Amino acid sequence: MTDFIPNFWQQIEEPQAWLIFLFPLAAFLINSLVIRPFFNQYSKLSGWITIGSLAASFVLSVYAVGSVAANDGRSIGWASHEWVEVANFKMTVGIMMNSLTALMLVVVTGVSLLVQIYSVGYMKEDSGYSRYFAYMSLFTASMVGLVMSSNIVQLFVFWELVGLCSFLLIGFWFHKPSAAAAAKKAFLVTRVGDFGFLLGILYLFSQGDSFTANNLNPLEIRDIEKAIGLGTVISSSVAGWIALGFFLGAMGKSGQFPLHTWLPDAMEGPTPVSSLIHAATMVAAGVFLVARFFPLFEASPVALDTVAIIGGVTVVFAASMGLVMNDIKRVLAYSTVSQLGYMMLAIGIGAPGVAIFHLFTHAFFKCLLFQGAGSVSHAVGGTFDMRYMGGLRRVMPWTYATFLIGSLSLAGIFPLAGFWSKDEILASAQGQAGFIPQAVFGLALIAVTMTAFYMFRALFMTFEGDYKGGAGADPDVESHAPSDAPHESAWSMLGPMVILALLAIFAGFVANPIVNLGAIPEHWLVHDFLHESAAKFNLGIAAISTFAAILGILLAYLMYVSKTISVQMVASTFRPIHTLLSRKYYFDELYEDILTIKVFYRGLAGALDWFDRSVVDGLVRVVDNFGRNIGRLIGQAQTGQVQSYGAVLSGGVLVILGVLLFLK
């Protein structure tokens, strides 16, 4: 592996690694505490401060990848730093710099850098310009901190910060009721998963005696891996329960069924926010978490099977809803949920390196597609509804070309990046015996056709045919730009899109070639860098998946370009299914109307209200009445006659004396 690492490459030092986190954190502090309150007239500086900080972090991240690669993909051992010590318990902070960390750092900082450059053009007219870049800087810093954490409590702190930043960014335009509602929904749904994650951490901590007996810390990620390796510290069942708690947290962040409902609604935030959330930050955090603690999952077959099943169901479940959505960002959102399902099922069948490879390629083409959607929205006056687009290929050639490349990569068409990573997942699943691997392979293959169909449906509805008026024709949008003259976006937006398009073409083959490329060996990313046995290239699987993708593209062409197949006829013929998909399987109604309003509000909250008014208040009234009556009786004994008091006192003394004599 070291053959293709330059001889001059030196190992990254710990202070340099900390700077990867500190640079975006500094940008947040400067933008929020200096630029916005005191120099808001120079708010445009905030964008360049963020870009400069992320550029520095990206360079250091690339340096970290080179350092780990030069170390044969092994972890660079830095001791954690003691933070808190109580009795025998020690809380530490530190950096875990291994191959997974280094690769994720490049993805997070690189994609975030391109998103911020794109944002300079996209957000230039927004009144909250400096606030936006402050939030985005903190968002990136939180994700970097999460990726680098060596301690599980440290990881959890950054995990929650990522959730907080997503709430702020999804609800960035808080004056819009839909944005405020989407932010609250994202925050609350992900809290369900985070509660499971917290329970897993607490259960892990409860095993502290077993860890201490082996001179291990239950909160240190390295020590957890060592404990699993020993096989005697925690049992398989304990590991399984902990892993399932962690996976529940990952389900929330990565929008896995049935905690997926927040992710499509997150489109209410600015498009660059959607691009970053869906490509390299929040949703990637869940996949990263499961990959980071893969030894814990590997110790429990039940936990692994659960991950594979949930991932396989999510792949088809989310893709099916993407088939009928008319909002281009929602199509991409359901696509993200589906692709995250691919990653989860890959981990579930024991191929975490392949999952991270797909996360790597997905980050580029999904970020590109969201930026393309934002470019189109700018051109047509602010709508994202594809029914009011069309004919944009002629006036937006650069956006069209890059969006086409992203769509082909997502569909898994040779030789683009998405083809190589998706083929690795399919080959890994098909190459394993057992019902679950074969079942998820079938689900993944079905989703290939669905993915190709909904992406090219979006491409054809947006760029082909005649222009349908844009925001001016959309009754749900107040147009803020001329909708009768769409135009190509500025190069501040197109530049990052072109770079991402090139990555969507070449990243997969260069990162994980199926043949030796001279100094770059075959399957180096998965096999040599992530230390996992990579599935060999399977020409048969590649041919089948390519055919499935072409079938989806052809079907989209026949329905939306040549009009050989009537869209209305298909929708009418399969009306019950179309309605089911359009209503998103009624999950919003299930969660909001039934569970929230009827079960929790009217049921549980109503029962608690009755208990409070009838039982608690009733007891209070009983005690009150008892006190009043006792007081009234005692009050009647207060006659004001001294002789009466003396007689009572004497009687009492006599009673006491009598009792004492009796006891004697």
Side-chain angles (χ1 to χ4, degrees):
M1 180 176 173
T2 57
D3 295 340
F4 63 98
I5 304 297
N7 294 328
F8 64 83
W9 207 289
Q10 301 295 317
Q11 181 173 296
I12 189 171
E13 300 295 334
E14 187 181 5
Q16 295 170 316
W18 277 110
L19 287 175
I20 302 174
F21 163 71
L22 292 174
F23 275 129
L25 180 63
F28 162 71
L29 294 173
I30 293 170
N31 288 336
S32 59
L33 301 180
V34 179
I35 299 294
R36 189 162 182 261
F38 302 111
F39 301 99
N40 203 41
Q41 65 271 31
Y42 304 109
S43 61
K44 297 302 184 239
L45 283 174
S46 58
W48 297 110
I49 291 171
T50 297
I51 290 170
S53 69
L54 290 176
S57 291
F58 175 68
V59 171
L60 288 172
S61 298
V62 173
Y63 192 54
V65 167
S67 298
V68 175
N71 199 39
D72 289 326
R74 296 189 301 270
S75 177
I76 299 175
W78 296 321
S80 297
H81 306 281
E82 187 175 311
W83 181 21
V84 177
E85 182 176 2
V86 180
N88 295 325
F89 171 72
K90 292 182 179 180
M91 180 69 71
T92 62
V93 295
I95 295 176
M96 187 176 183
M97 184 59 72
N98 60 6
S99 55
L100 177 59
T101 302
L103 187 62
M104 287 295 298
L105 286 175
V106 168
V107 172
V108 172
T109 58
V111 171
S112 186
L113 173 61
L114 292 172
V115 169
Q116 305 318 321
I117 295 172
Y118 177 90
S119 298
V120 169
Y122 190 92
M123 299 294 293
K124 65 180 180 180
E125 302 297 333
D126 198 282
S127 59
Y129 191 87
S130 58
R131 176 168 61 93
Y132 168 84
F133 280 102
Y135 289 169
M136 290 291 261
S137 299
L138 182 60
F139 199 18
T140 304
S142 301
M143 189 65 193
V144 169
L146 187 157
V147 168
M148 296 196 309
S149 295
S150 65
N151 181 282
I152 197 167
V153 175
Q154 178 187 350
L155 188 153
F156 187 75
V157 169
F158 286 115
W159 180 272
E160 291 301 311
L161 273 175
V162 167
L164 172 63
C165 292
S166 68
F167 170 79
L168 296 173
L169 286 165
I170 294 170
F172 180 78
W173 291 318
F174 53 84
H175 55 276
K176 294 170 56 180
S178 57
K184 288 187 288 185
K185 186 176 184 178
F187 192 79
L188 293 173
V189 173
T190 54
R191 290 292 75 70
V192 175
D194 292 353
F195 181 67
F197 187 14
L198 181 60
L199 289 178
I201 295 174
L202 294 174
Y203 193 26
L204 177 62
F205 183 71
S206 71
Q207 307 299 309
D209 291 342
S210 301
F211 279 80
T212 305
N214 290 274
N215 199 29
L216 299 173
N217 187 334
L219 301 180
E220 283 289 312
I221 298 175
R222 297 184 186 90
D223 286 356
I224 296 171
E225 294 176 353
K226 291 177 183 177
I228 297 297
L230 292 172
T232 57
V233 179
I234 56 175
S235 65
S236 175
S237 62
V238 171
W241 284 112
I242 297 170
L244 289 173
F246 286 13
F247 181 56
L248 188 58
M251 287 171 61
K253 282 288 193 289
S254 292
Q256 297 295 282
F257 172 89
L259 300 181
H260 64 282
T261 57
W262 70 270
L263 198 50
D265 289 351
M267 301 302 99
E268 291 292 338
T271 296
V273 172
S274 304
S275 178
L276 190 57
I277 286 178
H278 286 253
T281 51
M282 188 167 176
V283 299
V287 177
F288 168 80
L289 180 71
V290 181
R292 172 67 90 204
F293 292 97
F294 180 73
L296 197 62
F297 286 82
E298 195 175 25
S300 171
V302 173
L304 272 185
D305 288 345
T306 301
V307 174
I309 293 169
I310 293 294
V313 170
T314 303
V315 166
V316 174
F317 177 78
S320 66
M321 288 181 282
L323 300 174
V324 300
M325 293 293 126
N326 294 314
D327 186 305
I328 190 170
K329 286 176 66 176
R330 285 186 177 268
V331 173
L332 297 176
Y334 283 113
S335 168
T336 298
V337 177
S338 180
Q339 297 303 305
L340 291 167
Y342 272 107
M343 301 171 203
M344 287 298 187
L345 75 86
I347 297 175
I349 60 174
V354 174
I356 296 301
F357 178 37
H358 193 55
L359 186 153
F360 177 78
T361 61
H362 175 264
F364 302 130
F365 59 71
K366 184 52 58 70
C367 185
L368 168 62
L369 290 168
F370 269 106
Q371 291 187 0
S375 177
V376 167
S377 177
H378 257 224
V380 299
T383 185
F384 289 98
D385 196 324
M386 299 180 294
R387 293 172 296 181
Y388 305 104
M389 299 178 184
L392 298 179
R393 176 169 58 90
R394 294 178 292 275
V395 295
M396 304 182 73
W398 284 98
T399 299
Y400 169 73
T402 54
F403 198 91
L404 174 62
I405 291 170
S407 299
L408 289 169
S409 188
L410 176 57
I413 300 298
F414 175 87
L416 280 77
F419 169 83
W420 303 108
S421 57
K422 190 174 290 184
D423 180 76
E424 289 276 348
I425 295 174
L426 293 171
S428 298
Q430 194 274 335
Q432 294 190 31
F435 173 75
I436 290 178
Q438 295 303 311
V440 297
F441 169 76
L443 293 172
L445 198 58
I446 293 170
V448 170
T449 301
M450 290 181 171
T451 302
F453 175 83
Y454 67 62
M455 275 315 306
F456 277 82
R457 170 181 178 265
L459 181 82
F460 295 146
M461 288 180 69
T462 302
F463 293 98
E464 301 295 338
D466 298 322
Y467 182 55
K468 300 176 182 63
D474 188 350
D476 298 324
V477 175
E478 295 182 8
S479 180
H480 57 267
S483 58
D484 57 346
H487 54 83
E488 187 62 273
S489 298
W491 275 102
S492 61
M493 295 169 64
L494 291 176
M497 292 168 62
V498 171
I499 295 172
L500 288 166
L502 293 172
L503 291 169
I505 296 173
F506 298 111
F509 189 65
V510 174
N512 207 44
I514 61 169
V515 296
N516 288 331
L517 298 178
I520 305 177
E522 180 182 2
H523 289 300
W524 75 267
L525 181 71
V526 176
H527 181 74
D528 294 327
F529 193 69
L530 296 173
H531 297 291
E532 181 180 309
S533 297
K536 292 185 178 181
F537 180 72
N538 190 316
L539 184 60
I541 297 297
I544 293 172
S545 66
T546 301
F547 174 78
I550 292 174
L551 181 64
I553 296 171
L554 178 61
L555 186 60
Y557 179 84
L558 293 175
M559 292 179 67
Y560 294 95
V561 179
S562 70
K563 308 296 179 67
T564 306
I565 301 175
S566 170
V567 176
Q568 291 75 18
M569 183 270 292
V570 173
S572 178
T573 304
F574 301 98
R575 186 172 299 280
I577 297 175
H578 186 273
T579 302
L580 184 66
L581 298 179
S582 299
R583 299 300 297 269
K584 298 167 286 187
Y585 292 93
Y586 295 94
F587 265 85
D588 285 338
E589 289 82 357
L590 172 64
Y591 288 163
E592 296 173 17
D593 296 341
I594 297 177
L595 290 181
T596 302
I597 296 177
K598 293 183 179 179
V599 175
F600 289 104
Y601 182 72
R602 295 178 183 173
L604 182 61
L608 292 174
D609 178 65
W610 175 87
F611 182 82
D612 179 64
R613 288 186 289 104
S614 301
V615 179
V616 177
D617 289 353
L619 288 174
V620 171
R621 285 192 295 271
V622 168
V623 172
D624 176 66
N625 291 332
F626 179 78
R628 287 174 181 271
N629 292 330
I630 293 296
R632 191 177 295 111
L633 290 174
I634 295 174
Q636 291 176 358
Q638 305 302 311
T639 62
Q641 297 178 357
V642 176
Q643 58 268 35
S644 298
Y645 298 159
V648 172
L649 180 62
S650 300
V653 171
L654 290 174
V655 170
I656 294 172
L657 289 173
V659 171
L660 292 174
L661 290 172
F662 178 79
L663 293 175
K664 199 178 247 187

